[in-house]
Amino acid sequence: MQYDNSTLAITSVGTPDPFVTVFRGRYYLTFTAGNRVEIWSSRSLADIESAADRHVIWTPPQGTDHSAELWAPELHAFHGRWYVYYAAANPAHGNKSHRMYVLGGPPSSEDPCVDQWEFLGRIHQMPDHWAIDGTVFELNGHWYLVYSGWPLDSLDDSDLIQQLFIMKLADPISAASPAIVISTPQHNWEITREGNGTDHGINEGPQFLRSPDGGISWQGLVYSCAGSWTHNYKMGLLKYIGGDPLDPASWEKGEEPLIQTKRHGMGPFGPGHGSFVTVEGQVVAIYHATDSPTDGWDNRRARAQRVAFTEEGPYMGRSFGLQVQKPERGLVKRLKQRLVRDKAELAGEKSLRTLLGTRADYH
């Protein structure tokens, strides 16, 4: 299979946890802004930073249990209304107080940026534990919320393990089932080892993805794993294989990452927390990655890359980034090698920019 693994940076500034929604020929981008929920809207995804209308739809009041560290907002049309799902913390208690919250906006038949938004609070009947990165999707006629959380039986607020939980929703702000664990870090590539005996097993940033045939050949979750503060951050797969989505046996974890940075590559680094859009029939992933392996949580810019589907499911080349290769002997051979590589990269980037510069598929 021929696959073009070209990547295109669509922002020049940090836009971590990018989430893109398509509505009536426009792209709507949300991301972690920290102290607010902001939406960028544009007809071109390739030029969204320069061409976007920017709207701050929510700034929390000071001194509440949801005033700080607003993370990973997602814009969803659900039951005839726009909603934003996001995590926030109490500034007096810091990270351990992160919980999931919901904003309610205008009717889903209208532009989500043209009317007022209201704070709807936490999701009713959701367990009172550390929770971030919530996403909602419809499966088999029911709506579900999947999020990343610390183990329910954790008594010491330890941040060493993050699991993926699923709940059925009764409505956009109410759970209709208990929270069930469907993924726990188990592969070595899901774990960040600090070298001092401290290991962080992390599953977070879940996103539901279907194959272009409506999910007949593949549907499931793409999630992020390992430490988001490292260049080893990456994305993995959790396939839905049928049955009750609340049954952990209905989900099958992939043996290899969907995408990661090449071991001795030259970047981008730490691809993670992606979302997916369809443009002219092609599925495109929008995720963040850094230009330097030492950037940590800084400079996580939004990037775009095509997603192919094989008999085994989604495919993004397993790894990306310029590979450091042993140079050919002789100046002429080295120059020819570099010229061929540069031409291929430029052609792939130009093709992707052209695709993302087109008007979004109408919904």
Side-chain angles (χ1 to χ4, degrees):
M1 179 191 71
Q2 286 190 332
Y3 171 69
D4 181 357
N5 71 340
S6 302
T7 63
L8 179 69
I10 62 173
T11 63
S12 64
V13 296
T15 45
D17 312 324
F19 182 85
V20 176
T21 302
V22 176
F23 177 68
R24 291 187 176 175
R26 296 184 70 87
Y27 298 97
Y28 295 83
L29 168 68
T30 58
F31 55 92
T32 293
N35 63 352
R36 65 193 184 280
V37 176
E38 183 172 335
I39 301 176
W40 295 3
S41 170
S42 172
R43 293 195 180 280
S44 168
L45 190 54
D47 303 306
I48 195 165
E49 183 176 12
S50 61
D53 297 325
R54 305 187 184 193
H55 307 266
V56 176
I57 65 165
W58 175 250
T59 300
Q62 297 298 306
T64 74
D65 58 2
H66 56 91
S67 295
E69 299 181 20
L70 279 64
W71 290 355
E74 293 191 6
L75 175 66
H76 293 275
F78 188 0
H79 285 192
R81 190 180 185 186
W82 288 108
Y83 294 90
V84 166
Y85 294 81
Y86 68 103
N90 187 325
H93 299 291
N95 177 45
K96 68 180 182 180
S97 65
H98 267 107
R99 301 293 187 271
M100 286 301 305
Y101 293 90
V102 187
L103 304 176
S108 58
S109 59
E110 300 178 6
D111 187 318
C113 299
V114 299
D115 206 346
Q116 295 295 314
W117 284 76
E118 63 174 327
F119 178 70
L120 300 178
R122 290 170 57 178
I123 297 173
H124 306 316
Q125 306 304 316
M126 187 172 179
D128 185 22
H129 72 139
W130 187 89
I132 64 168
D133 295 353
T135 191
V136 297
F137 57 89
E138 187 176 13
L139 183 60
N140 300 336
H142 299 282
W143 282 84
Y144 295 89
L145 170 79
V146 174
Y147 66 95
S148 177
W150 291 346
L152 289 170
D153 58 359
S154 175
L155 301 178
D156 58 356
D157 288 329
S158 171
D159 63 354
L160 297 182
I161 297 293
Q162 288 176 227
Q163 301 170 312
L164 295 184
F165 293 80
I166 189 171
M167 297 190 309
K168 182 184 287 187
L169 293 177
D171 58 54
I173 59 171
S174 303
S177 77
I180 305 296
V181 176
I182 57 172
S183 181
T184 296
Q186 64 190 73
H187 296 306
N188 187 58
W189 46 267
E190 296 178 286
I191 300 171
T192 291
R193 306 189 189 281
E194 301 287 3
N196 57 2
T198 301
D199 296 341
H200 292 269
I202 295 174
N203 285 181
E204 63 183 18
Q207 291 291 312
F208 197 77
L209 176 64
R210 287 185 171 92
S211 54
D213 58 8
I216 295 174
S217 59
W218 196 94
Q219 58 183 336
L221 292 163
V222 177
Y223 67 97
S224 299
C225 53
S228 61
W229 60 94
T230 75
H231 65 276
N232 291 317
Y233 200 46
K234 60 184 72 70
M235 292 190 281
L237 295 172
L238 195 63
K239 180 181 180 181
Y240 171 65
I241 59 176
D244 184 357
L246 297 176
D247 183 352
S250 298
W251 302 89
E252 181 179 81
K253 183 173 290 189
E255 293 296 322
E256 297 179 346
L258 171 64
I259 186 171
Q260 60 185 333
T261 304
K262 289 178 179 177
R263 184 175 181 181
H264 300 294
M266 296 174 62
F269 298 93
H273 208 118
S275 59
F276 302 90
V277 294
T278 300
V279 186
E280 295 190 345
Q282 298 185 55
V283 178
V284 178
I286 311 296
Y287 55 83
H288 72 235
T290 65
D291 293 324
S292 167
T294 59
D295 277 343
W297 282 319
D298 295 328
N299 305 316
R300 291 178 291 171
R301 299 196 289 149
R303 324 262 174 162
Q305 182 177 338
R306 291 179 177 87
V307 182
F309 284 83
T310 70
E311 293 180 355
E312 298 178 353
Y315 181 80
M316 294 178 68
R318 304 297 185 203
S319 60
F320 69 29
L322 300 177
Q323 185 72 35
V324 178
Q325 298 177 344
K326 182 178 180 180
E328 295 284 349
R329 291 185 177 180
L331 178 61
V332 174
K333 285 187 177 180
R334 291 201 302 269
L335 289 175
K336 285 183 176 179
Q337 184 184 59
R338 181 173 180 177
L339 181 62
V340 170
R341 185 189 67 196
D342 289 350
K343 282 185 176 179
E345 290 171 355
L346 288 173
E349 182 177 314
K350 181 178 179 181
S351 172
L352 188 55
R353 175 172 289 279
T354 299
L355 175 67
L356 300 183
T358 60
R359 181 172 175 170
D361 291 350
Y362 192 91
H363 288 272

